Amino acid sequence: MRVDFSDDATLVDALRSGDETAFGWLLDRYHAPLRRTARMYVPTDALADDVVQETWVAVVRGIDGFEGRSSLKTWLYRIVMNQARTRGARESRTIPFSSAPGAFTDGAAPTFEPDRFRPADDRTGPDTGGRSLPRLDWEHQPESRLLGAETLALLDDAIRALPPAQREVVALRDVDGWTSAEVCHALGLSETNQRVLLHRGRAKVRSALESYFESSRSQ
């Protein structure tokens, strides 16, 4: 009979009993996204592979101590982020913790450049209520261009270039598809702080993509 490993209690029990099928299911489901998360912190693919291997070793050694106060997924990501942060700090001599002093002021420049807002007395063009003016018509960009390898590589680079706290939130929300509540729980953030970090990070990524599309359009 097939076992439903999507149930945390069932999966944890199986892992504690040394069930290789359960561990294989866990690898298939989480290895790639954990590696992607690790790569956000370390400078090479090889280091990301090392971090993920260390994570799986930590899972095997620590599963008996898993208390179930969070989901198993959250526990896994906390392990890989802690491992990756430590390795990344060792490699770059920095400390990219969301809880570090200045995490919420790092990269807290204006979300959009001032020249993207209409002056109060500007009556040209549609009334936007002073809101920022769009630079690029995203809706009518060819799908092949939006999803092209070069665009996806630029997107990946733009996320990695974000300040650490913004990078964590954007990666979990927009790359791995986590909910707001899951991110807050995993990173120990309030809903307000999570929302601010997500907004700032998305704005920077969008700006990088706009600059890329505009420069390529003008060539």
Side-chain angles (χ1 to χ4, degrees):
M1 184 176 70
R2 178 174 295 180
V3 179
D4 181 13
F5 291 129
S6 63
D7 176 71
D8 267 10
T10 300
L11 179 59
V12 170
D13 286 344
L15 292 171
R16 286 173 176 167
S17 67
D19 188 329
E20 293 184 4
T21 303
F23 191 70
W25 184 92
L26 200 65
L27 282 171
D28 290 342
R29 188 177 184 88
Y30 289 111
H31 187 85
L34 289 178
R35 184 182 184 278
R36 186 167 57 241
T37 296
R39 188 63 178 83
M40 294 291 174
Y41 298 88
V42 296
T44 68
D45 291 341
L47 284 172
D49 290 333
D50 288 346
V51 167
V52 176
Q53 292 303 318
E54 292 168 0
T55 297
W56 290 126
V57 171
V59 168
V60 172
R61 292 176 175 173
I63 191 63
D64 286 339
F66 176 67
E67 299 178 353
R69 288 182 292 184
S70 65
S71 68
L72 187 65
K73 181 177 78 170
T74 296
W75 184 65
L76 284 173
Y77 272 80
R78 282 176 176 166
I79 292 174
V80 77
M81 285 190 289
N82 285 334
Q83 298 276 7
R85 287 165 175 165
T86 300
R87 182 62 69 90
R90 191 185 309 158
E91 296 296 324
S92 64
R93 301 297 185 265
T94 60
I95 306 177
F97 292 104
S98 291
S99 56
F104 293 101
T105 55
D106 187 12
T111 302
F112 296 103
E113 300 92 332
D115 63 3
R116 295 195 62 182
F117 290 82
R118 289 189 184 281
D121 59 351
D122 185 355
R123 293 295 178 265
T124 64
D127 180 14
T128 64
R131 293 186 297 276
S132 58
L133 300 175
R135 284 184 172 175
L136 191 68
D137 184 0
W138 292 95
E139 184 178 351
H140 295 97
Q141 291 294 313
E143 183 177 351
S144 59
R145 191 181 187 202
L146 292 173
L147 300 179
E150 187 175 355
T151 301
L152 294 178
L154 177 75
L155 179 63
D156 189 49
D157 289 343
I159 294 175
R160 289 182 190 174
L162 293 172
Q166 295 176 21
R167 183 176 66 232
E168 288 180 338
V169 174
V170 170
L172 291 177
R173 288 294 307 276
D174 294 340
V175 179
D176 289 325
W178 285 38
T179 67
S180 173
E182 287 177 323
V183 172
C184 289
H185 189 60
L187 300 181
L189 297 171
S190 69
E191 172 59 31
T192 298
N193 285 338
Q194 186 269 159
R195 189 163 54 247
V196 168
L197 291 170
L198 181 64
H199 174 66
R200 289 175 178 167
R202 282 176 172 172
K204 290 182 175 68
V205 171
R206 182 186 181 95
S207 178
L209 289 174
E210 285 180 339
S211 296
Y212 164 72
F213 281 118
E214 288 174 347
S215 62
S216 62
R217 183 174 55 187
S218 63
Q219 291 176 356

mmCIF file of all heavy atoms in Angstrom, residues 140-174:
data_model
loop_
_atom_site.group_PDB
_atom_site.id
_atom_site.type_symbol
_atom_site.label_atom_id
_atom_site.label_comp_id
_atom_site.label_asym_id
_atom_site.label_seq_id
_atom_site.Cartn_x
_atom_site.Cartn_y
_atom_site.Cartn_z
ATOM 1 N N HIS A 140 2.305 43.252 -22.991
ATOM 2 C CA HIS A 140 2.431 42.976 -24.410
ATOM 3 C C HIS A 140 3.842 42.556 -24.819
ATOM 4 O O HIS A 140 4.183 42.565 -25.996
ATOM 5 C CB HIS A 140 1.993 44.209 -25.225
ATOM 6 C CG HIS A 140 0.537 44.525 -25.055
ATOM 7 N ND1 HIS A 140 0.094 45.468 -24.155
ATOM 8 C CD2 HIS A 140 -0.571 43.995 -25.629
ATOM 9 C CE1 HIS A 140 -1.236 45.524 -24.204
ATOM 10 N NE2 HIS A 140 -1.655 44.648 -25.089
ATOM 11 N N GLN A 141 4.661 42.171 -23.830
ATOM 12 C CA GLN A 141 5.962 41.615 -24.153
ATOM 13 C C GLN A 141 5.798 40.172 -24.613
ATOM 14 O O GLN A 141 5.006 39.419 -24.037
ATOM 15 C CB GLN A 141 6.874 41.655 -22.925
ATOM 16 C CG GLN A 141 7.303 43.050 -22.503
ATOM 17 C CD GLN A 141 8.183 43.701 -23.549
ATOM 18 O OE1 GLN A 141 9.121 43.101 -24.050
ATOM 19 N NE2 GLN A 141 7.859 44.942 -23.874
ATOM 20 N N PRO A 142 6.514 39.745 -25.646
ATOM 21 C CA PRO A 142 6.402 38.361 -26.101
ATOM 22 C C PRO A 142 6.773 37.389 -24.983
ATOM 23 O O PRO A 142 7.754 37.591 -24.275
ATOM 24 C CB PRO A 142 7.420 38.292 -27.247
ATOM 25 C CG PRO A 142 7.638 39.696 -27.675
ATOM 26 C CD PRO A 142 7.459 40.538 -26.447
ATOM 27 N N GLU A 143 5.978 36.336 -24.828
ATOM 28 C CA GLU A 143 6.238 35.363 -23.776
ATOM 29 C C GLU A 143 7.615 34.729 -23.936
ATOM 30 O O GLU A 143 8.306 34.464 -22.949
ATOM 31 C CB GLU A 143 5.163 34.277 -23.790
ATOM 32 C CG GLU A 143 5.323 33.252 -22.672
ATOM 33 C CD GLU A 143 4.202 32.239 -22.656
ATOM 34 O OE1 GLU A 143 3.213 32.427 -23.401
ATOM 35 O OE2 GLU A 143 4.307 31.257 -21.918
ATOM 36 N N SER A 144 8.023 34.504 -25.187
ATOM 37 C CA SER A 144 9.325 33.883 -25.422
ATOM 38 C C SER A 144 10.457 34.753 -24.892
ATOM 39 O O SER A 144 11.493 34.247 -24.451
ATOM 40 C CB SER A 144 9.527 33.638 -26.921
ATOM 41 O OG SER A 144 9.452 34.862 -27.644
ATOM 42 N N ARG A 145 10.240 36.060 -24.915
ATOM 43 C CA ARG A 145 11.265 36.971 -24.407
ATOM 44 C C ARG A 145 11.261 37.000 -22.882
ATOM 45 O O ARG A 145 12.310 37.002 -22.243
ATOM 46 C CB ARG A 145 11.032 38.383 -24.955
ATOM 47 C CG ARG A 145 12.199 39.315 -24.682
ATOM 48 C CD ARG A 145 11.927 40.702 -25.214
ATOM 49 N NE ARG A 145 13.111 41.533 -25.090
ATOM 50 C CZ ARG A 145 13.084 42.862 -25.061
ATOM 51 N NH1 ARG A 145 11.924 43.487 -25.147
ATOM 52 N NH2 ARG A 145 14.188 43.552 -24.942
ATOM 53 N N LEU A 146 10.074 37.018 -22.293
ATOM 54 C CA LEU A 146 9.969 37.056 -20.838
ATOM 55 C C LEU A 146 10.528 35.796 -20.200
ATOM 56 O O LEU A 146 11.078 35.834 -19.094
ATOM 57 C CB LEU A 146 8.506 37.250 -20.418
ATOM 58 C CG LEU A 146 7.878 38.604 -20.745
ATOM 59 C CD1 LEU A 146 6.391 38.576 -20.428
ATOM 60 C CD2 LEU A 146 8.565 39.724 -19.971
ATOM 61 N N LEU A 147 10.366 34.662 -20.895
ATOM 62 C CA LEU A 147 10.792 33.383 -20.332
ATOM 63 C C LEU A 147 12.085 32.869 -20.953
ATOM 64 O O LEU A 147 12.466 31.718 -20.711
ATOM 65 C CB LEU A 147 9.678 32.338 -20.526
ATOM 66 C CG LEU A 147 8.343 32.664 -19.859
ATOM 67 C CD1 LEU A 147 7.330 31.570 -20.141
ATOM 68 C CD2 LEU A 147 8.521 32.851 -18.354
ATOM 69 N N GLY A 148 12.760 33.705 -21.722
ATOM 70 C CA GLY A 148 14.003 33.296 -22.357
ATOM 71 C C GLY A 148 15.112 33.064 -21.337
ATOM 72 O O GLY A 148 15.075 33.591 -20.222
ATOM 73 N N ALA A 149 16.114 32.286 -21.728
ATOM 74 C CA ALA A 149 17.208 31.927 -20.822
ATOM 75 C C ALA A 149 17.950 33.165 -20.321
ATOM 76 O O ALA A 149 18.306 33.255 -19.136
ATOM 77 C CB ALA A 149 18.174 30.978 -21.532
ATOM 78 N N GLU A 150 18.158 34.138 -21.203
ATOM 79 C CA GLU A 150 18.880 35.343 -20.800
ATOM 80 C C GLU A 150 18.089 36.140 -19.774
ATOM 81 O O GLU A 150 18.640 36.644 -18.784
ATOM 82 C CB GLU A 150 19.181 36.209 -22.027
ATOM 83 C CG GLU A 150 20.072 37.396 -21.722
ATOM 84 C CD GLU A 150 20.462 38.169 -22.968
ATOM 85 O OE1 GLU A 150 20.105 37.713 -24.078
ATOM 86 O OE2 GLU A 150 21.122 39.216 -22.834
ATOM 87 N N THR A 151 16.772 36.234 -19.983
ATOM 88 C CA THR A 151 15.922 36.957 -19.036
ATOM 89 C C THR A 151 15.891 36.251 -17.685
ATOM 90 O O THR A 151 15.986 36.894 -16.629
ATOM 91 C CB THR A 151 14.496 37.084 -19.583
ATOM 92 O OG1 THR A 151 14.527 37.765 -20.834
ATOM 93 C CG2 THR A 151 13.607 37.853 -18.615
ATOM 94 N N LEU A 152 15.765 34.930 -17.695
ATOM 95 C CA LEU A 152 15.717 34.179 -16.439
ATOM 96 C C LEU A 152 17.041 34.281 -15.690
ATOM 97 O O LEU A 152 17.057 34.348 -14.455
ATOM 98 C CB LEU A 152 15.366 32.721 -16.726
ATOM 99 C CG LEU A 152 13.966 32.480 -17.294
ATOM 100 C CD1 LEU A 152 13.753 31.000 -17.585
ATOM 101 C CD2 LEU A 152 12.890 32.997 -16.343
ATOM 102 N N ALA A 153 18.152 34.298 -16.431
ATOM 103 C CA ALA A 153 19.455 34.458 -15.786
ATOM 104 C C ALA A 153 19.575 35.837 -15.147
ATOM 105 O O ALA A 153 20.099 35.983 -14.033
ATOM 106 C CB ALA A 153 20.570 34.243 -16.804
ATOM 107 N N LEU A 154 19.074 36.853 -15.857
ATOM 108 C CA LEU A 154 19.087 38.206 -15.302
ATOM 109 C C LEU A 154 18.226 38.285 -14.050
ATOM 110 O O LEU A 154 18.601 38.917 -13.056
ATOM 111 C CB LEU A 154 18.578 39.189 -16.352
ATOM 112 C CG LEU A 154 18.473 40.645 -15.865
ATOM 113 C CD1 LEU A 154 19.861 41.259 -15.775
ATOM 114 C CD2 LEU A 154 17.593 41.470 -16.792
ATOM 115 N N LEU A 155 17.063 37.634 -14.083
ATOM 116 C CA LEU A 155 16.176 37.611 -12.930
ATOM 117 C C LEU A 155 16.869 36.977 -11.733
ATOM 118 O O LEU A 155 16.801 37.491 -10.611
ATOM 119 C CB LEU A 155 14.906 36.841 -13.289
ATOM 120 C CG LEU A 155 13.851 36.677 -12.195
ATOM 121 C CD1 LEU A 155 13.312 38.040 -11.780
ATOM 122 C CD2 LEU A 155 12.718 35.792 -12.685
ATOM 123 N N ASP A 156 17.550 35.859 -11.966
ATOM 124 C CA ASP A 156 18.274 35.177 -10.907
ATOM 125 C C ASP A 156 19.354 36.079 -10.328
ATOM 126 O O ASP A 156 19.511 36.196 -9.109
ATOM 127 C CB ASP A 156 18.889 33.894 -11.465
ATOM 128 C CG ASP A 156 19.474 33.008 -10.383
ATOM 129 O OD1 ASP A 156 18.767 32.756 -9.388
ATOM 130 O OD2 ASP A 156 20.622 32.563 -10.525
ATOM 131 N N ASP A 157 20.099 36.766 -11.207
ATOM 132 C CA ASP A 157 21.156 37.668 -10.752
ATOM 133 C C ASP A 157 20.581 38.836 -9.958
ATOM 134 O O ASP A 157 21.171 39.285 -8.968
ATOM 135 C CB ASP A 157 21.953 38.200 -11.945
ATOM 136 C CG ASP A 157 22.832 37.138 -12.591
ATOM 137 O OD1 ASP A 157 23.084 36.098 -11.938
ATOM 138 O OD2 ASP A 157 23.252 37.344 -13.746
ATOM 139 N N ALA A 158 19.431 39.348 -10.409
ATOM 140 C CA ALA A 158 18.817 40.486 -9.727
ATOM 141 C C ALA A 158 18.378 40.109 -8.315
ATOM 142 O O ALA A 158 18.520 40.901 -7.372
ATOM 143 C CB ALA A 158 17.624 40.996 -10.532
ATOM 144 N N ILE A 159 17.861 38.902 -8.154
ATOM 145 C CA ILE A 159 17.454 38.447 -6.818
ATOM 146 C C ILE A 159 18.673 38.271 -5.920
ATOM 147 O O ILE A 159 18.674 38.672 -4.754
ATOM 148 C CB ILE A 159 16.642 37.149 -6.911
ATOM 149 C CG1 ILE A 159 15.308 37.406 -7.616
ATOM 150 C CG2 ILE A 159 16.385 36.561 -5.522
ATOM 151 C CD1 ILE A 159 14.491 36.153 -7.871
ATOM 152 N N ARG A 160 19.730 37.686 -6.472
ATOM 153 C CA ARG A 160 20.942 37.481 -5.676
ATOM 154 C C ARG A 160 21.586 38.793 -5.258
ATOM 155 O O ARG A 160 22.276 38.862 -4.239
ATOM 156 C CB ARG A 160 21.952 36.650 -6.474
ATOM 157 C CG ARG A 160 21.558 35.203 -6.649
ATOM 158 C CD ARG A 160 22.624 34.442 -7.411
ATOM 159 N NE ARG A 160 22.165 33.121 -7.791
ATOM 160 C CZ ARG A 160 22.838 32.292 -8.558
ATOM 161 N NH1 ARG A 160 24.015 32.657 -9.037
ATOM 162 N NH2 ARG A 160 22.351 31.104 -8.848
ATOM 163 N N ALA A 161 21.385 39.840 -6.063
ATOM 164 C CA ALA A 161 21.988 41.134 -5.770
ATOM 165 C C ALA A 161 21.230 41.918 -4.707
ATOM 166 O O ALA A 161 21.717 42.956 -4.240
ATOM 167 C CB ALA A 161 22.076 41.965 -7.051
ATOM 168 N N LEU A 162 20.062 41.447 -4.309
ATOM 169 C CA LEU A 162 19.274 42.153 -3.304
ATOM 170 C C LEU A 162 19.967 42.120 -1.949
ATOM 171 O O LEU A 162 20.728 41.187 -1.659
ATOM 172 C CB LEU A 162 17.893 41.505 -3.160
ATOM 173 C CG LEU A 162 16.940 41.615 -4.347
ATOM 174 C CD1 LEU A 162 15.701 40.755 -4.099
ATOM 175 C CD2 LEU A 162 16.541 43.064 -4.590
ATOM 176 N N PRO A 163 19.691 43.101 -1.091
ATOM 177 C CA PRO A 163 20.150 43.004 0.289
ATOM 178 C C PRO A 163 19.640 41.703 0.900
ATOM 179 O O PRO A 163 18.558 41.222 0.539
ATOM 180 C CB PRO A 163 19.509 44.232 0.956
ATOM 181 C CG PRO A 163 19.323 45.210 -0.164
ATOM 182 C CD PRO A 163 18.972 44.362 -1.354
ATOM 183 N N PRO A 164 20.400 41.100 1.811
ATOM 184 C CA PRO A 164 20.088 39.751 2.299
ATOM 185 C C PRO A 164 18.649 39.518 2.748
ATOM 186 O O PRO A 164 18.031 38.522 2.370
ATOM 187 C CB PRO A 164 21.073 39.567 3.454
ATOM 188 C CG PRO A 164 22.236 40.408 3.076
ATOM 189 C CD PRO A 164 21.655 41.612 2.397
ATOM 190 N N ALA A 165 18.102 40.426 3.558
ATOM 191 C CA ALA A 165 16.748 40.209 4.075
ATOM 192 C C ALA A 165 15.714 40.221 2.950
ATOM 193 O O ALA A 165 14.778 39.418 2.930
ATOM 194 C CB ALA A 165 16.407 41.270 5.126
ATOM 195 N N GLN A 166 15.888 41.154 2.000
ATOM 196 C CA GLN A 166 14.971 41.210 0.854
ATOM 197 C C GLN A 166 15.120 39.965 -0.009
ATOM 198 O O GLN A 166 14.131 39.410 -0.495
ATOM 199 C CB GLN A 166 15.246 42.463 0.030
ATOM 200 C CG GLN A 166 14.950 43.765 0.759
ATOM 201 C CD GLN A 166 15.336 44.984 -0.050
ATOM 202 O OE1 GLN A 166 15.459 44.923 -1.266
ATOM 203 N NE2 GLN A 166 15.542 46.104 0.624
ATOM 204 N N ARG A 167 16.356 39.524 -0.201
ATOM 205 C CA ARG A 167 16.606 38.344 -1.027
ATOM 206 C C ARG A 167 15.919 37.116 -0.445
ATOM 207 O O ARG A 167 15.311 36.329 -1.177
ATOM 208 C CB ARG A 167 18.109 38.101 -1.126
ATOM 209 C CG ARG A 167 18.487 36.931 -2.023
ATOM 210 C CD ARG A 167 19.986 36.811 -2.142
ATOM 211 N NE ARG A 167 20.612 36.471 -0.885
ATOM 212 C CZ ARG A 167 21.622 37.143 -0.334
ATOM 213 N NH1 ARG A 167 22.109 38.213 -0.933
ATOM 214 N NH2 ARG A 167 22.138 36.754 0.814
ATOM 215 N N GLU A 168 15.989 36.941 0.857
ATOM 216 C CA GLU A 168 15.348 35.791 1.492
ATOM 217 C C GLU A 168 13.851 35.784 1.237
ATOM 218 O O GLU A 168 13.268 34.767 0.859
ATOM 219 C CB GLU A 168 15.623 35.811 2.998
ATOM 220 C CG GLU A 168 17.041 35.481 3.379
ATOM 221 C CD GLU A 168 17.266 35.524 4.880
ATOM 222 O OE1 GLU A 168 16.490 36.183 5.585
ATOM 223 O OE2 GLU A 168 18.229 34.893 5.334
ATOM 224 N N VAL A 169 13.234 36.930 1.470
ATOM 225 C CA VAL A 169 11.780 37.003 1.343
ATOM 226 C C VAL A 169 11.343 36.827 -0.116
ATOM 227 O O VAL A 169 10.412 36.060 -0.408
ATOM 228 C CB VAL A 169 11.246 38.331 1.916
ATOM 229 C CG1 VAL A 169 9.753 38.476 1.643
ATOM 230 C CG2 VAL A 169 11.509 38.400 3.422
ATOM 231 N N VAL A 170 12.002 37.516 -1.031
ATOM 232 C CA VAL A 170 11.634 37.405 -2.441
ATOM 233 C C VAL A 170 11.835 35.981 -2.946
ATOM 234 O O VAL A 170 10.991 35.435 -3.665
ATOM 235 C CB VAL A 170 12.440 38.408 -3.297
ATOM 236 C CG1 VAL A 170 12.236 38.138 -4.784
ATOM 237 C CG2 VAL A 170 12.018 39.840 -2.975
ATOM 238 N N ALA A 171 12.945 35.364 -2.573
ATOM 239 C CA ALA A 171 13.219 34.001 -3.036
ATOM 240 C C ALA A 171 12.163 33.023 -2.539
ATOM 241 O O ALA A 171 11.664 32.179 -3.295
ATOM 242 C CB ALA A 171 14.606 33.561 -2.581
ATOM 243 N N LEU A 172 11.798 33.133 -1.272
ATOM 244 C CA LEU A 172 10.804 32.202 -0.729
ATOM 245 C C LEU A 172 9.416 32.473 -1.295
ATOM 246 O O LEU A 172 8.686 31.538 -1.640
ATOM 247 C CB LEU A 172 10.784 32.291 0.798
ATOM 248 C CG LEU A 172 12.019 31.747 1.520
ATOM 249 C CD1 LEU A 172 11.899 31.964 3.028
ATOM 250 C CD2 LEU A 172 12.237 30.271 1.218
ATOM 251 N N ARG A 173 9.038 33.744 -1.408
ATOM 252 C CA ARG A 173 7.698 34.065 -1.897
ATOM 253 C C ARG A 173 7.560 33.842 -3.396
ATOM 254 O O ARG A 173 6.606 33.189 -3.853
ATOM 255 C CB ARG A 173 7.357 35.526 -1.564
ATOM 256 C CG ARG A 173 7.072 35.825 -0.095
ATOM 257 C CD ARG A 173 5.813 35.135 0.412
ATOM 258 N NE ARG A 173 4.649 35.413 -0.414
ATOM 259 C CZ ARG A 173 3.876 36.499 -0.294
ATOM 260 N NH1 ARG A 173 4.148 37.394 0.647
ATOM 261 N NH2 ARG A 173 2.837 36.666 -1.062
ATOM 262 N N ASP A 174 8.492 34.386 -4.171
ATOM 263 C CA ASP A 174 8.308 34.437 -5.618
ATOM 264 C C ASP A 174 9.003 33.320 -6.382
ATOM 265 O O ASP A 174 8.628 33.034 -7.523
ATOM 266 C CB ASP A 174 8.789 35.793 -6.153
ATOM 267 C CG ASP A 174 7.922 36.942 -5.660
ATOM 268 O OD1 ASP A 174 6.781 36.685 -5.240
ATOM 269 O OD2 ASP A 174 8.392 38.100 -5.700
#
